[in-house]
């Protein structure tokens, strides 16, 4: 399982390091990289993934309910922590709430359980993506305020989400050349996001404090505990249970750094949690699979 974690995580780590080295050698604009990811590549990825999604109703319900329970627990936990410590809830909450269930989780489950496990985490990731580009944008843009509403309404990612669902369920045909172009461009989104994350690290020193370490702890252990609660409440068993337990406790999503950077919120906390949780997941993922089998 450790070798599996190395195989899956190595490309992500190398892209982060590549972005760091490039930005250290030549001037790179973090804002430009973030805008390119969030306003161009990511919307195309979202639309293409939703347009081609194949889901069954029972799996959608159970996995969607799991995501809702996990997020509800994490929202409550981060809110309580923010009240007790005075930390910025938006900066602290985003990398805790949203996990790397797509770029990392999908190939991880494919190698672990084959096509059936991969299909389950794809549904989990799609549901989580809906919350990432709605709740996540609201948090990054300033909450349910005029600024937050404006940020959500003008986000290409949200409109890509809406369009993807509409075109999928209304079965609106699109030219194959257009869809293949969307697919080609969309595959660049996770690598460019990881590259942008690495580039941002060259501009300032990575700091470690109690809030950073707590954020990583919440992402791993509170995420797992929330998933365990959802599995018990929903009666999840077998492969479905393992997918939910593992997916909910993966390292922080790279987009949890991209969103605050895109909307002008301090992204230094999210950036460090993403990097630290990604590196620690070399050790954490084998433990996570073990915990998912004994619980």
């Amino acid at each position: 399982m450790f070798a599996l974690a190395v195989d899956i995580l190595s490309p992500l780590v190398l892209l982060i390091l590549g972005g760091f080295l490039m930005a250290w050698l030549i001037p790179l604009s973090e804002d430009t990289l973030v805008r390119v990811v969030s306003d161009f590549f990511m919307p195309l990825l979202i639309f293409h993934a939703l347009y081609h999604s194949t889901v069954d109703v029972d799996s959608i319900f159970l996995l969607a309910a799991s995501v809702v329970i996990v997020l509800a627990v994490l929202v409550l936990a981060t809110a309580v922590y923010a009240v007790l410590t005075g930390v910025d809830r938006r900066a602290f909450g985003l990398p805790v709430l949203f996990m790397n269930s797509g770029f990392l989780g999908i190939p991880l489950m494919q190698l672990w359980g084959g096509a059936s496990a991969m299909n389950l985490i794809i549904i989990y990731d799609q549901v989580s993506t809906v919350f990432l580009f709605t709740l996540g944008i609201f948090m990054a843009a300033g909450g349910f305020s005029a600024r937050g509403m404006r940020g959500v309404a003008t986000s290409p990612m949200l409109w890509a989400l809406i369009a993807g669902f509409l075109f999928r369920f209304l079965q609106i045909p699109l030219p194959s050349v257009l869809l293949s172009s969307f697919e080609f461009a969309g595959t660049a989104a996770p690598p460019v996001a990881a590259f942008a994350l690495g580039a941002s690290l060259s501009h300032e020193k990575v700091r470690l404090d109690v809030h950073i370490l707590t954020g990583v702890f919440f992402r791993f252990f509170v995420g797992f505990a929330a998933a365990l609660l959802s599995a018990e409440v929903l009666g999840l068993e077998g492969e479905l249970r393992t997918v939910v337990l593992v997916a909910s406790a993966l390292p922080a999503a790279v987009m949890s750094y991209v969103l605050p950077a895109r909307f002008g919120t301090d992204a230094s906390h999210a950036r460090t949690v993403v990097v630290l949780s990604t590196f620690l997941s070399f050790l954490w993922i084998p433990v996570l699979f073990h915990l998912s089998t004994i619980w």
Side-chain angles (χ1 to χ4, degrees), residues 131-150:
F131 285 99
L132 174 62
F133 294 114
T134 51
L135 174 63
I137 292 176
F138 271 117
M139 291 178 65
F144 293 93
S145 61
R147 180 174 179 269
M149 294 292 289
R150 186 167 56 252

Side-chain angles (χ1 to χ4, degrees), residues 38 40-54 126 129 133 156-187 189:
S38 62
F40 183 76
F41 288 113
M42 190 58 67
L44 296 178
L45 174 65
I46 293 167
F47 179 87
H48 185 269
L50 292 175
Y51 186 82
H52 285 285
S53 64
T54 56
Q126 288 179 350
T129 297
F133 294 114
M157 292 177 287
L158 180 62
W159 287 109
L161 190 73
I162 295 170
F165 273 120
L166 286 177
F167 276 69
R168 170 69 179 85
F169 288 109
L170 295 178
Q171 297 184 344
I172 300 174
L174 289 173
S176 59
V177 65
L178 187 62
L179 291 173
S180 61
S181 298
F182 285 180
E183 180 182 17
F184 179 67
T187 55

Side-chain angles (χ1 to χ4, degrees), residues 94-265:
L94 279 167
V96 171
L97 294 180
F98 300 109
M99 68 296 293
N100 196 341
S101 56
F103 183 56
L104 171 60
I106 290 173
L108 183 67
M109 283 301 167
Q110 182 183 29
L111 290 174
W112 172 75
S116 59
M118 182 185 70
N119 289 336
L120 290 175
I121 200 170
I122 285 174
I123 298 171
Y124 183 103
D125 182 62
Q126 288 179 350
V127 176
S128 180
T129 297
V130 172
F131 285 99
L132 174 62
F133 294 114
T134 51
L135 174 63
I137 292 176
F138 271 117
M139 291 178 65
F144 293 93
S145 61
R147 180 174 179 269
M149 294 292 289
R150 186 167 56 252
V152 172
T154 58
S155 169
M157 292 177 287
L158 180 62
W159 287 109
L161 190 73
I162 295 170
F165 273 120
L166 286 177
F167 276 69
R168 170 69 179 85
F169 288 109
L170 295 178
Q171 297 184 344
I172 300 174
L174 289 173
S176 59
V177 65
L178 187 62
L179 291 173
S180 61
S181 298
F182 285 180
E183 180 182 17
F184 179 67
T187 55
V192 177
F195 183 89
L197 173 61
S200 71
L201 294 173
S202 69
H203 300 315
E204 60 181 87
K205 294 181 180 179
V206 174
R207 59 180 178 81
L208 288 178
D209 57 33
V210 66
H211 301 310
I212 298 290
L213 297 176
T214 304
V216 174
F217 176 85
F218 273 40
R219 174 82 299 280
F220 286 160
F221 293 99
V222 181
F224 183 82
L228 194 60
L229 174 64
S230 73
E232 293 298 321
V233 170
L234 299 172
L236 303 183
E237 297 179 351
E239 189 175 60
L240 182 61
R241 184 184 182 95
T242 300
V243 168
V244 169
L245 291 177
V246 172
S248 303
L250 289 173
V254 175
M255 285 303 296
S256 66
Y257 146 75
V258 172
L259 284 182
R262 168 65 179 83
F263 291 100
T265 302

Side-chain angles (χ1 to χ4, degrees), residues 84-96:
L84 293 177
T85 63
V87 68
D88 184 343
R89 182 177 174 182
R90 291 178 296 165
F92 181 81
L94 279 167
V96 171

